[in-house]
Amino acid sequence: MAIGLAMVALLVTAHFAAYTYVRPVLEEHSGLAPTAIAPLLLVYGLFGLAGNFLAGATAARRSRLTILTLAGGIALAVALSALSGQTSWVAWVWIALWGAAYGGVSVAGRLWMTRAVPHRVEQIAGLYVGVFTASIALGALLGGVVVEAAGLVLLLWSAAALALVSLLVGVFGPRG
């Protein structure tokens, strides 16, 4: 349970550190016109919805593997956003991947946690929501600090690295 909560905390923090600045990343780093942002965010949302349903179905059978896969997807998507630079078509790829991966985090993480402690579902559900919510705030705060201090590209690399750390915690932590 502790490994799962740590992994989710790191992953959600990484996501929100970068996603808070997705519009400036798309406009300033990827070179997209402001009119392209809404369709890209629609793609993110549609892939997020699909990722939620797919992750829910796969996590019902293999919750740990599902959340590990989602963590890898987020790390890859954020790294691609840092690498893409002014190659705007790549933004469509990484935004779709990011949406699909993050869309499944909440459901897969919760399934993993409730399976880890089946005799304490109510307690773990409350703790999970608290950790998740705190990680959203922490990610937005850390993202702001990094952007102000070092800019968007370092933010993206930092968030990708934090998502990778989350994956490593899940892979190398005790399985329970």
Side-chain angles (χ1 to χ4, degrees), residues 14-147:
H15 165 78
F16 275 96
Y19 190 75
T20 299
Y21 295 93
V22 73
R23 187 209 47 82
V25 168
L26 289 168
E27 286 182 10
E28 297 168 24
H29 184 63
S30 296
L32 293 164
T35 56
I37 305 305
L40 274 162
L41 293 178
L42 177 63
V43 165
Y44 175 90
L46 292 173
F47 274 83
L49 183 62
N52 184 279
F53 283 108
L54 182 61
T58 58
R61 294 184 304 279
R62 304 185 70 128
S63 54
R64 180 177 174 272
L65 180 59
T66 301
I67 196 76
L68 292 173
T69 302
L70 296 172
I74 291 170
L76 177 60
V78 177
L80 284 173
S81 74
L83 286 171
S84 67
Q86 294 293 315
T87 312
S88 61
W89 70 267
V90 178
W92 293 90
V93 173
W94 62 256
I95 203 83
L97 174 60
W98 196 352
Y102 186 73
V105 168
S106 63
V107 67
R110 185 154 191 255
L111 278 169
W112 186 22
M113 296 299 92
T114 56
R115 286 197 171 152
V117 192
H119 57 288
R120 296 199 159 204
V121 172
E122 292 81 11
Q123 290 91 346
I124 193 62
L127 187 57
Y128 181 76
V129 168
V131 166
F132 206 97
T133 304
S135 299
I136 292 170
L138 181 61
L141 173 68
L142 292 177
V145 168
V146 173
V147 164

